Amino acid sequence: MYWYTGVNWVKYLFNTCLINAVSLESSPLYGQQQLNETFLDHGEGQQFLTKAFQVILEEVLCKGTDVKEKVCDWREPEDLAALLDLELRENGESQHQLLKRVQDVAKYSVKTNHPRFFNQLFAGVDYHALAGRFLTEALNTSQYTYEVAPVFVLMEEEVLSKLRSLVGWTHGDGIFCPGGTVSNMYAMNLARFRAFPEVKVKGQWALPRLAVFASQESHYSVMKAAAFQGIGTENVFKVNVDDRGCMNPEDLCEKIELAKSQGAVPFFVHATSGTTVKGAFDPLESIADICERLGLWMHVDAAWGGSVLLSNEHRHLMKGVERADSVTWNPHKMMLTGLQCSAILLKDTTDLLKHCHCADATYLFQQDKFYDKSLDTGDKSIQCGRKVDCLKLWLMWKAVGSKGLEGRVDRAFAHVRYLVEEMKRREGFQLIWEPEFVNVCFWFIPPSLRGDENSPDYQDRLSKVAPTIKERMMKQGTMMVGYQPHGGRVNFFRMIVISPQVSHEDMTFFLDEIERLGKDL
């Protein structure tokens, strides 16, 4: 938004009228007057930014992290649209009105930094990472060449190298991507290119029918990747899981043989470390044995669970990850960098990432540059313009160190242990399975349903409990937690505990609030 003040505003109106009277061709003086004046008033813009930042600080970072404030100020869609006055008009608004709009956006948005926001696989705020996010936006550069992003080209490689070392690789490659889904798509595309490099030039005509393997609990991005890349969702073979939600290696072997018997060519196995609902970790060692024996690309989707690698106590959950060909890791989840921050990490040292995706755009990647052209990493990406996602993670890591990040992971697990112990002491809370990670899945059984488990309508009545409690908590703004049906089970709550701002008091409040909101159902 640009503002005109004093004489500049008068000149603007005058020149607008002048356009209606004469053409630019017959009035070269008009063009000179306009182009010799500064269109943007930096002073006024910076004044607005300062005031807007104060609103953000108060509404989002002070109130938004205060347990005495609401997690959300719920409004029905039509009411919210009217409150926000979303229509875009011909003329601009005053700074005063715009600051009110900033305040309204903050007021009516969900406060994901709130200690009682348990709804998603991200929560809380790290202020150093947030400073990195602000700085990233202000610098507004694209992560594709050293000449326009020298700091971030070097920084990205340092951060990726550190993440790879935690996986167990001394060398490799990687890139930051716009989310875990895209990171998983990269892995599938790279696996196909390694197996059939001619696909880049000749397309699907050069390919046999391909087969992908993923567990029944894998993220839906596997299906999206197969559809997007022309492999086809019918060629994704879903592997059975055990009671904990972990891939069954024996069934993986059987599914591979099934695919072969149907004339398909297996090429890609998608394992998961930290499934979305159950928080399950696939047995990576056994899966790696199979992939190595059959020459298949092994990818580990650790978008959610990858941060256990920071913890000496819990990294055993990903034992064998170093044997994978690629790993997806989302630091914007458990590491709290803020959305979005997702990396695809590769063991490969042959520049496969670049060979697969490069288009050699000469206006960006000139071969006669005065610096080392290998620093121009943009051709590794399927994007052209690419947002800087490394700064927030780098600055946070500098601030708290690896030990601080490890402490956050261990703290989350400790809160889960406390929560589960408290649930077991209370009537009405029924764990669906013992949590392996920080996903706590449970039913709340209201007093009216207790002891009534054998009635024919029990499951139907139970399925309505979680949605009703969710509606009540949202409308009252006290907290947020997710629910879903899954694997033949009716709606149950999925509690996620990751924010370092959370205390045992918040865990106790959560249980008390579920009881309060559901006692009359």
Side-chain angles (χ1 to χ4, degrees), residues 53 100 179 283 323 465 496:
F53 184 77
K100 176 64 166 59
R323 298 174 65 187
V465 172
I496 301 295

Side-chain angles (χ1 to χ4, degrees), residues 397-467:
W397 211 317
K398 281 287 191 181
V400 304
S402 298
K403 284 295 183 184
L405 296 174
E406 179 181 19
R408 292 180 181 183
V409 174
D410 292 345
R411 179 181 173 90
F413 275 87
H415 280 314
V416 166
R417 288 193 295 271
Y418 173 82
L419 180 66
V420 169
E421 289 169 4
E422 288 299 304
M423 278 185 176
K424 291 177 178 178
R425 293 191 182 104
R426 299 191 186 209
E427 189 177 8
F429 289 90
Q430 182 179 330
L431 279 170
I432 297 177
W433 43 73
E434 288 288 333
E436 184 175 23
F437 192 29
V438 293
N439 308 40
V440 182
C441 298
F442 67 95
W443 283 299
F444 176 69
I445 315 297
S448 67
L449 288 179
R450 294 170 196 169
D452 208 16
E453 291 81 3
N454 294 323
S455 65
D457 63 345
Y458 177 80
Q459 291 295 319
D460 182 60
R461 290 161 63 195
L462 180 60
S463 72
K464 295 177 172 62
V465 172

Side-chain angles (χ1 to χ4, degrees), residues 90 130 140 248 264 266-267 425 490 514:
E90 290 296 317
L130 184 58
N140 189 40
N248 182 330
F267 80 105
R425 293 191 182 104
V490 299
I514 292 286

Side-chain angles (χ1 to χ4, degrees), residues 18 24 26 28 61 72 96 115 144 175-176 228 303 310 313 373 378-379 411 422 458 486:
L18 188 60
L24 288 175
S26 63
L61 300 175
C72 66
H96 175 76
Y144 45 34
I175 198 169
F176 279 96
F228 185 76
L310 293 158
E313 182 179 353
K373 62 182 184 294
D379 238 3
R411 179 181 173 90
E422 288 299 304
Y458 177 80
H486 185 74

Side-chain angles (χ1 to χ4, degrees), residues 315-440:
R315 65 175 291 120
H316 67 88
L317 292 169
M318 289 182 65
K319 186 175 184 294
V321 66
E322 72 282 354
R323 298 174 65 187
D325 294 288
S326 56
V327 174
T328 289
W329 187 347
N330 284 11
H332 70 236
K333 290 185 165 70
M334 203 171 194
M335 290 177 74
L336 270 72
T337 60
L339 291 163
Q340 62 192 5
C341 189
S342 176
I344 175 72
L345 306 172
L346 303 171
K347 185 191 294 183
D348 175 76
T349 58
T350 67
D351 224 6
L352 187 71
L353 192 58
K354 183 176 180 180
H355 293 319
C356 181
H357 298 132
C358 69
D360 300 319
T362 56
Y363 71 92
L364 278 176
F365 309 114
Q366 301 92 339
Q367 297 303 297
D368 54 358
K369 288 187 176 182
F370 64 91
Y371 58 83
D372 180 0
K373 62 182 184 294
S374 69
L375 293 168
D376 291 350
T377 56
D379 238 3
K380 295 180 179 183
S381 170
I382 59 173
Q383 300 166 256
C384 178
R386 187 162 63 94
K387 189 177 179 66
V388 173
D389 285 329
C390 59
L391 174 56
K392 52 199 167 191
L393 177 54
W394 178 84
L395 194 59
M396 178 184 71
W397 211 317
K398 281 287 191 181
V400 304
S402 298
K403 284 295 183 184
L405 296 174
E406 179 181 19
R408 292 180 181 183
V409 174
D410 292 345
R411 179 181 173 90
F413 275 87
H415 280 314
V416 166
R417 288 193 295 271
Y418 173 82
L419 180 66
V420 169
E421 289 169 4
E422 288 299 304
M423 278 185 176
K424 291 177 178 178
R425 293 191 182 104
R426 299 191 186 209
E427 189 177 8
F429 289 90
Q430 182 179 330
L431 279 170
I432 297 177
W433 43 73
E434 288 288 333
E436 184 175 23
F437 192 29
V438 293
N439 308 40
V440 182

